[in-house]
């Protein structure tokens, strides 16, 4: 059997369709089918149950796929070792970033990074945390930037910075008269939240977990935009919380509505994450050092209380 044949097997296992798998592997469907049939004949087993729609792995096929992933990763590691030994920092690198981090952090480091490492082809995707974890484990991302800790034994985390939560409080609310606020000043019923799937939303719910929701609101919001939350707050429909970096670009009239928390400030931990068996460590190190170099001037908070991005039931 060959590495290429194993890659075809992995593609079919993922997409559960021979035609789609062939497209992803940039070969014709007959070529892919023939190579998979060859490996099944060599092993004298059936890897896929073709009678089911979508195609399913057989029991032995699942075990073969698990081992094939390890073999393909280790084969790629040989190339990585050689490139690292030669001092080459380049090639394709797939990076995921969660939506509440991408708009503020990416413009801060991207230009510096591509100028310093022009041989790296950085492919960036905006994904929620759940999708990022799945893609990291499936080998479809090399690394990601997300709120941590994630409590996943297969994912390694390198902390980049701590980003406090900042409250956006219109003048109509009594707590807007305070210079600094505490958790107990917040009313969960008044807070406008991002839609489900955003870990920043879950962080806020964890921050206010001692309060119960009364469901008194006359509307339900499904938004992934901080700008929308700010505009609704300005209309008197509630308050909201923002990540610190997002507050730096607000207009002066909006900055007057910001209220910081007393220390230790509630904050999210932002990390560069990657699978523990990741190959391209030299590129990960390059990313880490570049980001650290640009954020240290903009954000340097130490006395913080890390709020978990995982919603606690």
């Amino acid at each position: 059997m060959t590495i290429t044949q194993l890659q075809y097997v992995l593609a079919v296992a993922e997409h559960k369709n021979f035609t789609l798998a062939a497209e992803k592997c940039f070969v014709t469907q007959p070529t892919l089918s023939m190579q998979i049939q060859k490996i099944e004949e060599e092993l004298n087993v059936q890897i896929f149950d073709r009678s089911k729609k979508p195609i399913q792995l057989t029991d032995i096929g699942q075990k073969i796929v698990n081992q094939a992933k390890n073999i393909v990763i280790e084969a790629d590691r040989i190339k990585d070792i050689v490139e690292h030994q030669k001092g080459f920092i380049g090639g394709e690198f797939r990076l995921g970033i969660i939506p509440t981090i991408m708009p503020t952090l990416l413009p801060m480091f991207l230009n510096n990074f591509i100028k310093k490492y022009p041989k790296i082809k950085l492919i960036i995707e905006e994904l929620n945390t759940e999708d990022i974890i799945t893609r990291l484990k499936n080998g479809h991302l090399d690394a990601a930037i997300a709120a941590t800790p994630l409590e996943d034994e297969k994912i390694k985390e390198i902390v980049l910075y701590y980003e406090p939560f900042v409250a956006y409080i219109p003048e109509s609310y009594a707590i807007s008269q305070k210079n600094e606020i505490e958790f107990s000043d917040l009313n969960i019923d008044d807070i406008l939240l991002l839609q489900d799937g955003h870990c920043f939303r879950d962080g806020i719910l964890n921050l206010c977990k001692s309060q119960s929701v009364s469901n008194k609101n006359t509307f339900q919001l499904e938004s992934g935009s901080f700008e929308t939350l700010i505009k609704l707050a300005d209309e008197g429909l509630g308050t909201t919380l923002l990540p610190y970096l997002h507050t730096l670009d607000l207009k002066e009239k909006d900055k007057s509505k910001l209220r910081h928390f007393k220390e230790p400030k509630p904050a999210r931990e932002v990390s560069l994450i990657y699978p523990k068996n990741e190959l391209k460590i030299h590129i990960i190190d390059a990313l880490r050092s570049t980001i650290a170099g640009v954020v240290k001037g903009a954000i340097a908070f130490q006395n913080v209380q890390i709020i978990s991005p995982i919603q606690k039931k």
Side-chain angles (χ1 to χ4, degrees):
M1 71 188 73
T2 66
I3 298 296
T4 300
Q5 288 174 330
L6 295 178
Q7 289 171 333
Y8 292 166
V9 168
L10 293 178
V12 175
E14 178 186 353
H15 298 291
K16 296 180 172 58
N17 181 285
F18 277 81
T19 302
L20 183 56
E23 290 175 2
K24 298 297 182 180
C25 293
F26 303 104
V27 296
T28 64
Q29 189 269 330
T31 297
L32 180 136
S33 296
M34 180 180 66
Q35 292 301 319
I36 290 179
Q37 186 176 351
K38 282 185 177 181
I39 197 171
E40 286 181 322
E41 290 173 353
E42 179 182 343
L43 297 174
N44 195 27
V45 297
Q46 188 176 11
I47 298 175
F48 297 102
D49 184 347
R50 295 163 176 79
S51 67
K52 294 182 178 179
K53 301 294 181 183
I55 293 168
Q56 300 292 319
L57 285 164
T58 61
D59 291 341
I60 188 62
Q62 183 63 65
K63 293 178 181 178
I64 290 171
V65 163
N66 293 341
Q67 187 61 31
K69 288 179 181 178
N70 296 329
I71 293 170
V72 171
I73 286 173
E74 291 304 319
D76 287 341
R77 193 182 299 278
I78 294 173
K79 300 174 186 176
D80 189 61
I81 290 170
V82 173
E83 289 180 353
H84 193 246
Q85 181 66 29
K86 291 179 178 179
F88 175 77
I89 302 181
E92 186 176 287
F93 191 85
R94 298 156 300 175
L95 179 71
I97 308 178
I98 63 173
T100 58
I101 290 177
M102 181 174 298
T104 51
L105 181 61
L106 187 61
M108 294 175 68
F109 79 84
L110 183 58
N111 195 37
N112 285 355
F113 184 81
I114 59 179
K115 285 182 177 178
K116 190 172 182 180
Y117 303 101
K119 294 180 180 179
I120 297 175
K121 182 182 179 182
L122 198 59
I123 300 172
I124 303 167
E125 292 186 73
E126 184 175 270
L127 301 163
N128 64 36
T129 303
E130 184 177 348
D131 288 339
I132 280 174
I133 293 174
T134 299
R135 295 198 185 197
L136 285 173
K137 291 180 177 179
N138 287 341
H140 298 315
L141 284 178
D142 295 302
I145 300 173
T148 55
L150 297 176
E151 300 176 7
D152 192 307
E153 61 181 15
K154 295 183 178 180
I155 302 294
K156 189 164 184 178
E157 304 171 358
I158 301 176
V159 176
L160 297 171
Y161 57 89
Y162 302 111
E163 183 175 26
F165 294 68
V166 182
Y168 186 86
I169 313 291
E171 296 88 341
S172 57
Y173 287 84
I175 59 171
S176 68
Q177 304 305 310
K178 295 188 175 185
N179 292 325
E180 290 186 313
I181 62 174
E182 301 181 68
F183 304 156
S184 57
D185 294 322
L186 298 172
N187 183 341
I188 188 62
D189 285 322
D190 290 332
I191 299 176
L192 300 166
L193 299 171
L194 295 174
Q195 65 193 39
D196 283 338
H198 287 271
C199 60
F200 192 80
R201 168 195 174 95
D202 293 335
I204 293 173
L205 293 176
N206 289 335
L207 179 63
C208 304
K209 60 180 178 286
S210 61
Q211 300 185 29
S212 58
V213 181
S214 67
N215 293 318
K216 69 176 183 179
N217 291 333
T218 56
F219 67 94
Q220 180 176 344
L221 177 65
E222 294 262 335
S223 174
S225 165
F226 286 121
E227 285 72 21
T228 300
L229 301 185
I230 290 171
K231 289 179 181 178
L232 290 175
D234 287 338
E235 291 295 320
L237 294 172
T239 64
T240 194
L241 286 112
L242 307 170
Y244 174 78
L245 287 179
H246 192 89
T247 68
L248 300 182
D249 293 330
L250 293 180
K251 298 176 181 178
E252 288 305 316
K253 67 179 181 68
D254 292 330
K255 286 184 178 180
S256 67
K257 301 169 188 173
L258 297 175
R259 294 296 179 271
H260 292 266
F261 286 90
K262 294 180 180 179
E263 293 188 344
K265 297 179 184 295
R268 63 176 175 179
E269 179 183 85
V270 176
S271 298
L272 187 60
I273 66 174
Y274 56 94
K276 289 189 174 178
N277 60 1
E278 173 55 40
L279 310 173
K280 304 172 184 178
I281 299 300
H282 51 303
I283 299 181
I284 289 173
D285 288 341
L287 262 175
R288 180 201 56 76
S289 62
T290 301
I291 295 172
V294 297
V295 299
K296 65 182 180 182
I299 186 165
F301 295 92
Q302 297 300 328
N303 189 9
V304 295
Q305 176 186 348
I306 303 303
I307 306 300
S308 173
I310 303 172
Q311 186 173 349
K312 305 301 181 183
K313 304 299 183 183

